[in-house]
Each structure stands twice: as C-alpha cells, then as structure tokens.
C-alpha cells in the first residue's frame, strides 16, 4: 500500500509538472510573442540572417500570394523560380566557379525552410533541382560541370532526378533501367516513375544499370530533353503538390553519349545515395517551413475566433496545444540543423542523422500542421484558409518523396 501511495503521488507530481511546463511555455509565448519563441533566426550568424530574410521576403511576396492558384490550376511556376535563381537559390550549394552560391548545407536548410512558408510544393521542387545541380558539380568532370551547371544555377534549364521505377521504390538497388554500351553511346531502355518535373524539365539525372545485379552495377547518366528515344507518360493527377508536374520518364533505345556519364561505371548508386543524404535534410527543412507557417496561422486564428463569449486564445486546452506545437517545431529544427552541420563536415554519423531528421521531423511537423488545422475547426478544411494546403502536402512527404530514406541507413550494400 505504501508503494502504491508513492506511485500515485509520483503520477500526480508528474502530471502537475507536465501541466506546469506547458503553462510556462505558453506564458512565455504569450509574453514575448510566439513568433519570438519559434524564431528560426536564433543562433544564426549575421550573414545567415540576411539571406534568411531574403528568402522569407521572397516567399511572402512572390510565392504565398500565388500558392493557391498554382495548386488549383497545376501551374509549374517557371518565372517565379527564375526570380528565386536571381537571388542565388538555383544552385545554393553548387560551387561558385560554375555559377553556384557556394553555401553550406546549414545555409541551404535555412533557405528552404524560409521559402517553404510561401509554397512547400514549389520549394520541394527547387530542392530537387539543387540536388541534381550539386550531383553534376560534385561528380562531373570540368567539361560536364561547365556544360550543365551554369544554366541550372540560373534556372534557365531545370533538372529532374530519376531513380524510382515502377518496380523499385524503397529497393532502389534493384532498378531495371538498362544502359548498354554501343561505341561512344549508351542505349537506354526502361522507365522511371513519379518524376518531379518530368516532361517540363530539361536535364534528367538518371540511375541506370550498366553492369550486373545490385548496387555495384548502377551508373549515373545525364540525359537531355530532346534526346531521341526519350518520352514521357501522362501528367499524374495528385492530391497535392500540383505546382510541380509529375510524370513517368520513358527510355526506348535512347542514345546518350558516354561523355554524359557522371563518374565511372558502377559508381551510380553511391552518387545517388550521397545526393539523397542532402535530400533528406532538404525535405525535412521544407517540413519545418510548413510547420512554422501553420503555428503562426493557428495563433492568429485563436486570437480572433470566439466561442462561448471569448477568444480561443483564452482556452487553456488550446494554450497547451499551441505550446506543444511550438516545442515540437523548435526541437525538429535543432535536429535538422545538427544533421546539416554533420553532413557538411563529413562526420561518420552524418548519414544516420540525416535519416533521423527525415524520419522524426516530417512526423512531428505533420502533427503540428494537423493540430493547426484542428484549431481552425471547419474553417481549416476550406480552401480560403491557407492552413489546409500544408496538411495535405504531408501525404506526399510520407508516401511518395524519399519515404525509404528514413530507413536506408540501417542497411549496408
């Protein structure tokens, strides 16, 4: 009985402590303003704060006002992205000698988080484009770098990443698209599925099989739009992410010059995985932007929506919910930034941290966006309210974009 009383007292104290913590968080949020508590500029250098502000301003002025229209009309906003490229966002972590901005992985995460507050779908495509440009810059020779990177960095040309196939999603090493060497060309046959930008973009970074089974038989080729034998499937009708077109990319006796191969034969899988380490951070950063915007939308709604004679901001239950949302957001941001620094410095734990960031942050940010929608009640389901856009974007994050990347670090090929 004594033990039971001690246990019961511990439970009561634990419940009090949790409730007290939530109250302290919300009171701090209320006193300083929630925007200050979740301020993404905390801990950044002056230079980082400057380009973060540029990205936030671009998101607010050039993306957010058009996000709903781009989604409804399925517009691929080429001109808006080219404006972003003028700010250096077309090749953020590409080397300056071929037109890139030469920024770090942490800098990149900061920019993508800020841009995503304006339009997650468009920012996610920009992140894929940046990944492709980086892969060419990093693994290409000087001739390849000079041929492709300058146009990609200014977004005069756009890039797509071609790894997933109808029969190989998570099991990327089992891909079947073949590339047979004939003279000074590879003859490609096969297809890629769910390719962001497919059909509308100009450069395709393609993983294909030049050797035997498994990852060591995979090579990486750059295929240019207009190459004979390259075609595209129908434009997919998606639940969301409609500002970036999605199609199958089809190769039928598609002749690609050997000079368009990145690295040596058999290095393609390694190139793909190194590219996607950054992809995990990039997509987690996009999630942060959606969550950050959702927290602020929930706060604003609570301050104006009245029920039972007072605003929702006076409800202790909703105060606690907002405090939890703010806490999850800040914790998620810290993990993403730790992973970005580890990847930039080449630490041995970098791959695991990138995977953890993708796994944890997309989950937590979905929870934040979902709670923001619930706080809006029925209004949250109306397309007149921006909060609904952020919630269905996570369907894409979970099911389609890089879903296997949360787990790939457990395996060694």
């Amino acid at each position: 009985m004594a033990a039971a009383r001690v246990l019961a007292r511990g439970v009561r104290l634990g419940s009090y402590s949790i409730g007290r913590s939530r109250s302290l968080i919300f009171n701090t949020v209320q006193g300083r303003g929630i925007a200050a508590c979740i301020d993404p500029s905390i801990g950044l250098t002056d230079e980082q704060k400057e380009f973060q502000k540029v990205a936030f301003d671009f998101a607010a002025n050039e993306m957010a006002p058009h996000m709903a229209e781009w989604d409804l009309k399925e517009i691929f906003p080429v001109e808006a992205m080219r404006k972003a490229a003028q700010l250096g966002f077309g090749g953020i972590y590409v080397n300056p000698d071929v037109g890139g901005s030469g920024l770090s992985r942490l800098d990149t995460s900061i920019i993508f988080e800020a841009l995503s507050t304006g339009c997650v779908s468009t920012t996610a495509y920009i992140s894929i484009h940046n990944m492709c440009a980086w892969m060419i810059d990093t693994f290409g020779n000087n001739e390849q770098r000079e041929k492709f990177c300058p146009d990609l960095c200014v977004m005069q040309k756009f890039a797509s990443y071609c790894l997933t196939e109808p029969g190989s999603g998570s099991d990327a090493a089992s891909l079947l698209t073949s590339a047979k060497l004939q003279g000074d060309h590879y003859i490609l046959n096969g297809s890629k599925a769910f390719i962001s930008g497919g059909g509308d973009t100009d450069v395709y970074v393609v993983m294909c099989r030049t050797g035997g089974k498994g990852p060591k038989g995979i090579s990486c080729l750059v295929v240019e739009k207009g190459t004979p034998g390259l075609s595209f499937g129908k434009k997919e009708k998606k639940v969301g992410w409609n500002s970036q077109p999605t199609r199958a990319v089809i190769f039928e006796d598609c002749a690609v010059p050997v000079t368009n191969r990145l690295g040596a034969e058999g290095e393609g899988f390694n190139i793909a995985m190194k590219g996607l380490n950054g992809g995990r951070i990039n997509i987690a950063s996009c999630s942060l932007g959606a969550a950050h915007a959702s927290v602020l939308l929930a706060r604003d709604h609570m301050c104006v929506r009245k029920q039972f004679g007072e605003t929702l901001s006076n409800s202790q239950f909703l105060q606690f919910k907002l405090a939890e949302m703010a806490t999850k957001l800040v914790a998620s941001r810290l993990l993403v930034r730790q992973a970005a620094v580890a990847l930039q410095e080449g630490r041995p734990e970098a791959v695991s941290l990138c995977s953890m960031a993708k796994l944890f942050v997309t989950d937590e940010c979905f929870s934040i966006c979902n709670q923001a929608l619930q706080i809006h009640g029925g209004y949250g389901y109306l397309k007149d309210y921006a909060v609904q856009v952020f919630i269905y974007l996570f369907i894409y994050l979970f099911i389609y974009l890089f879903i296997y990347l949360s787990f790939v670090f457990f395996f060694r090929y």
Side-chain angles (χ1 to χ4, degrees):
M1 292 296 292
R5 285 195 294 272
V6 170
L7 179 60
R9 182 171 181 272
V11 170
R12 288 196 299 273
L13 286 173
S15 299
Y16 170 78
S17 176
I18 292 171
R20 178 64 176 162
S21 296
R22 287 170 173 154
S23 295
L24 288 171
I25 293 168
F26 184 78
N27 288 339
T28 303
V29 163
Q30 217 175 21
R32 294 180 58 212
I34 193 170
C37 293
I38 64 172
D39 183 359
S41 70
I42 293 174
L44 302 185
T45 65
D46 289 342
E47 182 183 12
Q48 288 170 332
K49 289 177 182 178
E50 286 179 11
F51 58 67
Q52 182 188 56
K53 184 180 184 304
V54 170
F56 269 124
D57 289 345
F58 185 85
N61 298 323
E62 301 291 342
M63 299 174 80
H66 308 292
M67 176 174 62
E69 181 186 9
W70 292 344
D71 181 72
L72 180 64
K73 297 181 180 179
E74 300 184 0
I75 296 171
F76 190 44
V78 169
E79 293 308 317
M81 289 190 288
R82 284 178 176 158
K83 288 182 181 179
Q86 292 174 9
L87 301 174
F89 300 156
I92 300 172
Y93 49 109
V94 172
N95 284 305
D97 65 314
V98 286
S101 298
L103 297 181
S104 71
R105 297 291 185 157
L106 175 58
D107 300 335
T108 303
S109 173
I110 293 164
I111 290 169
F112 285 149
E113 178 182 354
L115 290 177
S116 289
T117 61
C119 182
V120 181
S121 172
T122 303
T123 304
Y125 170 74
I126 294 174
S127 80
I128 296 169
H129 172 91
N130 270 263
M131 181 179 71
C132 291
W134 174 83
M135 292 168 77
I136 296 172
D137 179 40
T138 303
F139 300 103
N141 56 38
N142 286 335
E143 182 181 346
Q144 292 165 335
R145 294 173 68 244
E146 291 170 2
K147 177 181 178 181
F148 294 111
C149 290
D151 284 344
L152 293 176
C153 289
V154 297
M155 286 187 160
Q156 186 60 40
K157 292 185 177 179
F158 294 91
S160 290
Y161 179 69
C162 300
L163 175 64
T164 302
E165 296 184 1
S168 63
S170 300
D171 186 12
S174 69
L175 65 83
L176 297 176
T177 296
S178 65
K180 305 292 186 182
L181 183 61
Q182 292 185 10
D184 58 357
H185 283 73
Y186 286 101
I187 308 302
L188 267 69
N189 282 284
S191 64
K192 298 293 181 177
F194 309 123
I195 303 305
S196 295
D200 284 50
T201 50
D202 310 284
V203 175
Y204 297 85
V205 179
V206 181
M207 302 302 153
C208 52
R209 189 164 299 284
T210 55
K213 294 182 179 180
K216 292 183 179 180
I218 296 172
S219 298
C220 180
L221 299 179
V222 179
V223 183
E224 299 173 75
K225 190 175 184 179
T227 302
L230 173 64
S231 61
F232 307 96
K234 67 177 179 63
K235 185 177 178 181
E236 303 290 357
K237 304 297 291 184
K238 298 172 296 186
V239 173
W241 292 66
N242 290 315
S243 71
Q244 48 169 285
T246 301
R247 294 182 178 91
V249 177
I250 303 164
F251 307 100
E252 297 174 299
D253 292 330
C254 181
V256 180
V258 172
T259 53
N260 279 23
R261 188 189 66 221
L262 299 182
E265 280 197 3
E267 293 182 355
F269 191 79
N270 183 52
I271 292 172
M273 292 301 103
K274 287 187 175 180
L276 292 177
N277 287 335
R280 298 176 182 125
I281 297 173
N282 294 345
I283 209 63
S285 302
C286 292
S287 302
L288 289 174
H292 182 89
S294 295
V295 170
L296 297 181
L297 288 170
R299 174 207 62 182
D300 294 345
H301 185 75
M302 285 173 60
C303 289
V304 298
R305 173 65 169 162
K306 288 187 176 181
Q307 288 290 278
F308 305 103
E310 58 183 8
T311 61
L312 297 182
S313 59
N314 290 324
S315 165
Q316 188 182 58
F317 175 78
L318 294 181
Q319 291 173 4
F320 283 0
K321 287 296 181 184
L322 198 63
E324 290 173 0
M325 292 159 67
T327 303
K328 289 178 179 180
L329 174 58
V330 173
S332 295
R333 183 180 291 129
L334 291 173
L335 177 55
V336 171
R337 293 183 178 179
Q338 181 185 7
V341 172
L343 183 61
Q344 182 69 33
E345 296 178 352
R347 297 180 194 169
E349 71 275 15
V351 176
S352 296
L353 284 172
C354 292
S355 298
M356 290 174 184
K358 165 63 181 67
L359 173 63
F360 179 82
V361 173
T362 52
D363 277 349
E364 293 304 310
C365 289
F366 169 77
S367 174
I368 293 168
C369 294
N370 183 48
Q371 188 58 59
L373 186 143
Q374 302 302 328
I375 288 173
H376 279 73
Y379 293 104
Y381 199 66
L382 300 180
K383 289 202 171 184
D384 291 334
Y385 287 74
V387 70
Q388 51 81 29
V389 177
F390 295 113
I391 190 66
Y392 67 64
L393 294 172
F394 279 89
I395 298 173
Y396 180 88
L397 289 175
F398 288 138
I399 299 175
Y400 171 38
L401 188 61
F402 306 148
I403 186 64
Y404 68 92
L405 296 179
S406 302
F407 311 104
V408 74
F409 73 92
F410 290 114
F411 301 94
R412 291 294 181 267
Y413 289 94

